[in-house]
Amino acid sequence: MGTKRSGNAAPQQSPPKPQNNFTKWITRIVALSLLAATFTWLDGIKDRWYVLEPKFLHELAQEAISISPNDPQGMINHILTNLTSTHPQLDSPAISLNTNASEWVFSNAGGAMGAMYIIHASITEYLIIFGTPLGTEGHTGLHTADDYFHILVGEQWAFKPGALEMERYGPGDVHFLPRGTAKQYKMHEGCFALEYARGWIPLMMPFGLADTFTSTLDLPTLYHTVRITGREMIKNLLVGKI
């Protein structure tokens, strides 16, 4: 005898209608287009949020060198004094500056190692002192910001593919790296610089932190780097500096 089929068999599901898939793809394309348009618009107006000026910083670096030759600490003190005088930190400052010159952390990025002191960090600008008494070499990174590397003491060499001779930068020189370009660079013993970047700073952070996860595993340095950078960005947002 044949067995009875159960009356509770689940009905077969019909395949999704092509129209539904088409609607989903149109929605995704529209959303991505709106996102791209928003980013393009923001990129076009980011200049209005800049406070620091490359020409002013270059002149400040040269002035610090002339006042305290071969004395990095004296140069840093002069730079901080000038910045806090130009941008007072009391009564509604236009920009927040970190005046704690003892707050140094290691920086491992692109294979190069040094230490940095973050003077300013916001969404569109950062200003740091970077260097090492030992010397280092690595990749500059490919960034979404223009980078101005003002040599205070020591010497930096650089080159890009196709160049058969190196670029050489000494005290008072500025090594300008436009966004979207990359080079190999070398800082000789005792080289320190005032580095200024303007553009989308948060997008630079993966490069600055990647070596922690792939090489150094220096979690205390990671913690302090994120803590200081995040603190300074929040302080700047609170005073209206993007």
Side-chain angles (χ1 to χ4, degrees):
M1 293 179 63
T3 58
K4 287 187 176 182
R5 293 184 179 177
S6 170
N8 295 327
Q12 292 184 348
Q13 293 183 350
S14 58
K17 296 180 180 179
Q19 183 66 28
N20 290 341
N21 287 336
F22 178 75
T23 303
K24 288 180 180 179
W25 277 106
I26 290 296
T27 302
R28 292 169 183 168
I29 291 171
V30 170
L32 288 173
S33 298
L34 289 173
L35 193 62
T38 300
F39 287 156
T40 301
W41 174 70
L42 288 172
D43 195 59
I45 66 170
K46 67 181 182 300
D47 291 16
R48 67 179 65 178
W49 298 313
Y50 297 153
V51 174
L52 301 170
E53 289 297 330
K55 182 180 179 182
F56 164 75
L57 293 173
H58 189 201
E59 292 172 353
L60 177 58
Q62 292 179 322
E63 186 179 85
I65 294 167
S66 66
I67 292 174
S68 302
N70 298 315
D71 178 10
Q73 188 59 60
M75 296 178 194
I76 294 170
N77 293 340
H78 178 79
I79 289 169
L80 285 178
T81 300
N82 190 292
L83 286 173
T84 53
S85 174
T86 306
H87 304 282
Q89 295 299 286
L90 300 175
D91 300 325
S92 302
I95 187 172
S96 177
L97 301 171
N98 177 21
T99 57
N100 182 4
S102 65
E103 206 167 40
W104 287 81
V105 293
F106 277 135
S107 174
N108 290 85
M113 182 176 183
M116 66 177 175
Y117 158 43
I118 300 174
I119 301 174
H120 169 78
S122 61
I123 302 299
T124 57
E125 294 178 283
Y126 82 64
L127 183 68
I128 68 173
I129 302 291
F130 174 78
T132 169
L134 305 181
T136 190
E137 180 179 4
H139 192 289
T140 61
L142 192 67
H143 299 300
T144 55
D146 292 330
D147 190 89
Y148 301 80
F149 208 75
H150 304 271
I151 305 299
L152 298 175
V153 62
E155 190 170 80
Q156 184 194 52
W157 296 351
F159 106 105
K160 55 187 177 181
L164 300 182
E165 295 184 3
M166 68 180 179
E167 304 165 20
R168 188 190 298 263
Y169 302 92
D173 294 337
V174 55
H175 180 190
F176 175 58
L177 189 71
R179 72 174 184 171
T181 60
K183 296 179 182 179
Q184 178 189 5
Y185 75 97
K186 180 177 182 178
M187 297 177 71
H188 290 269
E189 295 179 10
C191 185
F192 286 86
L194 176 70
E195 183 178 8
Y196 169 61
R198 51 166 42 188
W200 298 114
I201 303 307
L203 297 180
M204 301 176 71
M205 293 189 69
F207 170 78
L209 301 176
D211 279 15
T212 300
F213 302 101
T214 62
S215 176
T216 69
L217 302 180
D218 186 351
L219 298 183
T221 290
L222 173 65
Y223 165 74
H224 289 298
T225 302
V226 173
R227 176 182 62 83
I228 297 169
T229 303
R231 181 195 70 200
E232 294 305 310
M233 285 188 171
I234 291 171
K235 285 169 61 178
N236 277 282
L237 286 172
L238 290 175
V239 299
K241 169 66 176 78
I242 297 177

